[in-house]
Every structure is written in structure tokens, then in C-alpha cells.
Amino acid sequence: LIEAAERRADPLPTMRQFLCGGAAVPPQLVRRAYGAMRNCRTMRVYGSTEAPIITLGWREDPELAATTDGHPWRYEVKILDEAGEVVPVGTDGEGAARGPGMFLGYADPRQNAESHTADGFFLTGDIGHLTPEGALQITDRKKDMIIRGGETLRDKEIEDVLHGHPAIREAAVVSMPHARLGEGVCACLVLHEGAEAPDLQAVAAFCEAAGMARQKFPERVVAMPDFPRTPSGKIRKDQLRLRLRDGAL
């Protein structure tokens, strides 16, 4: 939609609100929307099939709209550590939510028990934290984190940097097999039309200029025409990891 507005030099003045959710939304995309669409308030929201509409977006602050996933609405949200204890504000942990829109439960009793706390909070499988403003900020999926030499790396953090590269339309950072470290960092890229694919050296220089720690630099770059996706458009990172493991990428 942003690309259409920019291509036509049409700021879509009658559009008032656009809520982004269902998958990770780069901050750059929301900021770009504020520049391309004159009157539209664009914001990130968060929820899941099991617990929809956990948050509403920030309407009055474009930067919070871009960098957070909104504020809890009619849901209780807490962030838990591995032991199930609530962590301080600003500290990452697994998000847990409880509210009126939640599903009744899974058909499998064991899966149901594993996905809920004793007091009825649904364990989302998403990693994030609460900010001092009361916003929820999702930083990763538990299953998508990369364990490189015993250090946990957040794929979304790397993706957010790569989305600032002028040639990159969309980035998906996934783990790949690494003989010494167990897992390495691979950046799969979809480029803007007509853009030349940056090589590994160019990507490393861009990450260094952005202040990224060296252990987070991609160790391989793969340009693709598009990613494998679900019917709703989410990137199938499990398929990308499988292709890397099997040598298909």
C-alpha cells in the first residue's frame, strides 16, 4: 500500500487508520507510512489465534507506534522468566496473557497444560518486554532465536537493522548449521525491484555502521525472489531453516 501511494504520489488523504499485525512489523515500515500517507495513523498491534487483540496501537505517538506493539487492552499481560516468575519492566521474557477473548483451550490436554500457567495465563511463545510507558514490545519468537556458541541472538533485532538497507525490501534472519558454533546466522533477503544484491562484505559493513555487535553479523547472505509463506503471508522460517540444513539454499 505504501509503495502504491509513493508510486502514484498520492498520500491517500481519506485513509485514517491502519493496524499492522500478524507478523513482525519493522519500525522503518511504520515510519515510512507516516511519510507516505498524509492523514493515516499507522500502528502495530499484537495478538494471536488463541488470544486475539491483546493490544491496541499507540495513536498519539508515531515513534511508539513504530517501535512497540501497542498497549494491553482488556487483557492482563505479564512477562515471565524460565522459572515462571514475573521479570522487571524492560527485561525480556516470555509473554503471557489472560483476558475475555481467549480461546477455551487445545483439544490435547497435555498441550493445553503446557501452554498455560496455573493461574490461567496463556503462554504466547513470544519473547518481549513491557516498557515504562506501559507498551508491549515483542522482540522474538522463542523457536526463532539463534543459539550461536552458547549465546542467544535475536533474529528480529538483526532484521530491523537490515530493513534499513536501501536495497533490501524484506529480510528473514534464521539459524543455519555451523560446524564449530552449532548455529550460525543466515540473512535471507528479498530485494527492491532493480536493486543489486549486497554481498556478505557489504552487509557486514552496513551492520557495523549501525552499531551491531560483530557476533550478530550474518555469516551468509541469500537473495531470493520471495520467501516461503503461510496462506496469510507469514514467512515460513522453519522452511528456510530446513532448506539451509538440506543444502537447498
Side-chain angles (χ1 to χ4, degrees), residues 7 53 61 77 94 105 120 128 147 186 200 207 209 223-224 235:
R7 185 171 60 249
I53 318 177
D61 189 322
V77 173
E94 182 173 6
I147 311 299
C186 179
L200 188 60
C207 291
M224 308 173 65
I235 300 171

Side-chain angles (χ1 to χ4, degrees), residues 5-141:
E6 291 173 337
R7 185 171 60 249
R8 295 166 49 186
D10 180 357
L12 305 177
T14 61
M15 192 168 205
R16 302 297 190 198
Q17 184 166 273
F18 194 95
L19 308 181
C20 306
V25 180
Q28 294 92 331
L29 189 64
V30 178
R31 295 186 186 114
R32 188 174 157 204
Y34 271 91
M37 295 186 283
R38 181 189 304 159
N39 298 319
C40 183
R41 298 188 179 192
T42 303
M43 63 204 81
R44 289 158 49 172
V45 296
Y46 173 70
S48 67
T49 302
E50 297 89 344
I53 318 177
I54 293 173
T55 70
L56 295 181
W58 288 87
R59 286 181 52 82
E60 307 304 327
D61 189 322
E63 190 58 21
L64 282 175
T67 59
T68 76
D69 295 282
H71 57 89
W73 181 73
R74 299 184 67 194
Y75 272 85
E76 300 171 77
V77 173
K78 56 185 179 181
I79 309 297
L80 307 175
D81 61 19
E82 291 290 340
E85 299 296 326
V86 175
V87 302
V89 169
T91 302
D92 271 0
E94 182 173 6
R98 182 174 66 183
M102 278 176 56
F103 73 143
L104 295 178
Y106 295 117
D108 183 341
R110 184 172 64 178
Q111 185 183 14
N112 204 44
E114 292 172 349
S115 301
H116 291 82
T117 64
D119 54 352
F121 278 75
F122 171 64
L123 297 170
T124 65
D126 289 317
I127 303 298
H129 58 265
L130 292 169
T131 73
E133 298 88 357
L136 175 65
Q137 187 166 11
I138 301 298
T139 56
D140 216 335
R141 285 286 292 171

Side-chain angles (χ1 to χ4, degrees), residues 127-169:
I127 303 298
H129 58 265
L130 292 169
T131 73
E133 298 88 357
L136 175 65
Q137 187 166 11
I138 301 298
T139 56
D140 216 335
R141 285 286 292 171
K142 285 180 74 173
K143 63 184 180 182
D144 288 337
M145 293 189 296
I146 300 166
I147 311 299
R148 181 181 185 275
E151 182 178 2
T152 300
L153 306 181
R154 301 288 168 79
D155 57 305
K156 187 176 183 300
E157 178 186 354
I158 303 169
E159 289 166 356
D160 282 349
V161 171
L162 294 178
H163 282 133
H165 192 287
I168 297 172
R169 176 176 178 175

